[in-house]
Amino acid sequence: MGSRALEITIISGEGLRLSPSKRVKKNAFVIVGAEHTQILSSTRMDIDGGSYPTWNDKMFVDIPIQSRFLIVEVQCKSKHQGDLVVGTAKIPVTDFVGGFTPANYLHFLSYRLRDLKGEKNGIINLSIKVKGREDVNSSKFNYLQPRLAAPYKQVDAKRSDIGINVVTGIPVLQKY
C-alpha cells in the first residue's frame, strides 16, 4: 500500500488540564500517529509552558493511504505517575488532503482536545503540509485537472445591454 508524506509542525497548546481543578504545570509533549500504523513521532518536552505550552517542533510523518484520521495526543510527564494523557484530537485526513488544495499547501489548524472521559480539555494548534511528488514522473499518474466547460448561450439583444452573445459555464473535472 502507498503512503502520504506529511510535514507536521506542532505549534502550541492552550488550556491544558490534568483534571478540572488541576492545570498542567510543565513537561507537556505531543505524540503524533495515524490509524493503521504503529509508527509514532514525538515533540520535545516543554518544561516551562505550563498549561499553555509552545513547541514549534517540525516532524515528517508517512501515513498510509487508507488512514482516515491523524491522531494527536498531548501527554504530560509526572515524577510519580509517569506519562499522563492530557487530551487527544482525532483529525480527519480530509481536513488537509483532497479537494482543490495544491500539493505543498500549508494548512494551519486548531483542534479541541478530549481527555480519556471524552470531556473538553484544551486546544492543540498545528500546521500540516502534504508533501508533493515533484521528483516523480507525472506521466505515470492520472491527475484530475480542473477545466472550464463553457456552453454558448444566445441572448436576446433587445433585452440585454451587455451584448448579443454571453458565455456561461461551470467548472468541471476532466481526466487527462
Side-chain angles (χ1 to χ4, degrees), residues 5-148:
L6 303 179
E7 177 185 306
I8 302 170
T9 303
I10 305 296
I11 300 169
S12 63
E14 302 174 24
L16 305 180
R17 297 179 176 274
L18 293 172
S19 69
S21 61
K22 188 176 180 184
R23 292 177 176 254
V24 170
K25 292 188 191 303
K26 60 182 180 175
N27 298 336
F29 62 99
V30 179
I31 297 174
V32 177
E35 63 180 2
H36 306 299
T37 184
Q38 298 298 319
I39 301 168
L40 304 172
S41 294
S42 177
T43 65
R44 63 181 167 71
M45 259 193 275
D46 181 336
I47 56 173
D48 298 323
S51 63
Y52 289 84
T54 303
W55 297 282
N56 286 321
D57 282 359
K58 186 179 291 189
M59 56 186 72
F60 297 91
V61 178
D62 283 330
I63 65 168
I65 293 289
Q66 72 269 19
S67 290
R68 295 181 304 143
F69 295 99
L70 185 68
I71 311 298
V72 177
E73 185 173 272
V74 178
Q75 295 186 7
C76 177
K77 186 171 281 301
S78 168
K79 284 183 182 180
H80 305 292
Q81 297 174 317
D83 295 345
L84 303 171
V85 175
V86 175
T88 304
K90 199 172 173 182
I91 302 171
V93 171
T94 55
D95 284 4
F96 53 87
V97 171
F100 293 105
T101 349
N104 292 315
Y105 182 81
L106 186 61
H107 300 267
F108 285 94
L109 306 165
S110 295
Y111 290 91
R112 170 72 65 191
L113 295 169
R114 300 281 177 169
D115 64 13
L116 295 175
K117 297 176 185 173
E119 300 293 324
K120 295 177 183 178
N121 192 20
I123 295 172
I124 187 77
N125 302 304
L126 55 112
S127 69
I128 300 176
K129 183 190 297 187
V130 179
K131 300 304 284 180
R133 297 185 180 264
E134 299 87 352
D135 55 332
V136 178
N137 183 359
S138 63
S139 65
K140 293 180 182 177
F141 298 96
N142 288 328
Y143 291 107
L144 292 177
Q145 298 290 334
R147 192 161 202 207
L148 185 63

